[in-house]
Amino acid sequence: MNWKTAPLLPTLYDFAVQNRALSRLGARALWNYDVDHLHELIAAQDPSALTLDIPCGGGLAIRDNPRHVAADLSQTMLKRARRKSTTLVQADIYNLPFPTDTFDVCLTYNGLHCLEDPPSALHELTRVLRPGGTLQGTTVIKGAGRDPLIKLLQRQGAFGNPGTRTNLRTWLEKASLTNITLTTSGAVTAFTARKSGTHHSPASAKVD
């Protein structure tokens, strides 16, 4: 995928995303999406939660907090994210280098639609969540009036295999996640779900 091998695409994307006015205009024009909702989700993060943020991109959701672990496959994105944090890991979302039941929260903002196999990524994110932990993210979906644009971006290698809103719910359910909430704005759906079990989060927990 171009996100891993071509530095220009990630750089241009990150520049647009980090600029609040430009991202607002672009999200509305491209996806009929109110990007302020994404910023509200980011602002509501719990700083005490041990959090995995993947793909972190250039660091839109990063907080300067050692309990916020930012990860991405792209070296270009990680270099840009380094401006905001030093708790960075180069990682493949399909094969995360963390033990099972590690994180209180997993974030995956604007990443699933870039993947060839979103269901496998959701299974892996669920694996590293602690019982009772929360998975939260946003993704472009099919069937919301932007399918021709999705197909164009797929041909350019920028998108993988996004699904419909129904597909997204099915993927989350098959990952054994519960309490699923989907909120759609234009062609973007925000999702929140929980891993079954009781959540215990000792203050001393850390990621090496």
Side-chain angles (χ1 to χ4, degrees):
M1 295 292 288
N2 287 345
W3 295 103
K4 179 181 178 182
T5 59
L8 183 59
L9 177 62
T11 300
L12 291 175
Y13 169 80
D14 183 56
F15 174 80
V17 167
Q18 298 286 349
N19 184 297
R20 190 70 173 261
L22 189 59
S23 66
R24 184 179 288 113
L25 288 172
R28 182 64 71 184
L30 293 173
W31 308 114
N32 192 28
Y33 175 52
D34 181 3
V35 77
D36 286 341
H37 180 244
L38 173 59
H39 289 283
E40 290 169 2
L41 292 175
I42 292 171
Q45 291 177 31
D46 178 0
S48 69
L50 186 60
T51 299
L52 174 64
D53 175 6
I54 183 170
C56 66
L60 183 66
I62 288 178
R63 295 295 176 264
D64 188 12
N65 178 349
R67 294 183 68 78
H68 188 117
V69 180
D72 207 294
L73 189 61
S74 167
Q75 283 283 9
T76 300
M77 287 300 198
L78 290 173
K79 287 178 182 177
R80 297 181 69 84
R82 195 168 291 122
R83 299 166 298 176
K84 296 188 175 184
S85 175
T86 57
T87 313
L88 302 174
V89 178
Q90 186 173 24
D92 184 341
I93 198 169
Y94 301 120
N95 186 24
L96 295 170
F98 307 110
T100 297
D101 300 345
T102 296
F103 294 94
D104 302 318
V105 178
C106 285
L107 306 175
T108 181
Y109 294 131
N110 297 339
L112 286 185
H113 53 256
C114 298
L115 303 176
E116 293 293 340
D117 190 359
S120 292
L122 290 171
H123 274 277
E124 182 66 351
L125 289 168
T126 303
R127 180 187 69 79
V128 300
L129 266 180
R130 290 186 177 134
T134 299
L135 173 66
Q136 185 177 90
T138 58
T139 183
V140 172
I141 58 169
K142 291 181 177 178
R146 293 296 191 268
D147 287 10
L149 178 56
I150 290 172
K151 290 179 180 178
L152 174 62
L153 291 169
Q154 286 175 316
R155 288 195 296 269
Q156 293 177 344
F159 268 32
N161 289 304
T164 63
R165 179 185 165 106
T166 300
N167 292 147
L168 177 59
R169 178 176 287 279
T170 298
W171 297 341
L172 293 167
E173 290 173 346
K174 288 186 174 181
S176 299
L177 293 162
T178 61
N179 299 97
I180 297 168
T181 300
L182 305 181
T183 304
T184 299
S185 172
V188 176
T189 292
F191 55 92
T192 301
R194 290 191 179 277
K195 183 173 179 176
S196 299
T198 302
H199 191 188
H200 299 288
S201 179
S204 59
K206 65 178 183 178
V207 175
D208 295 325

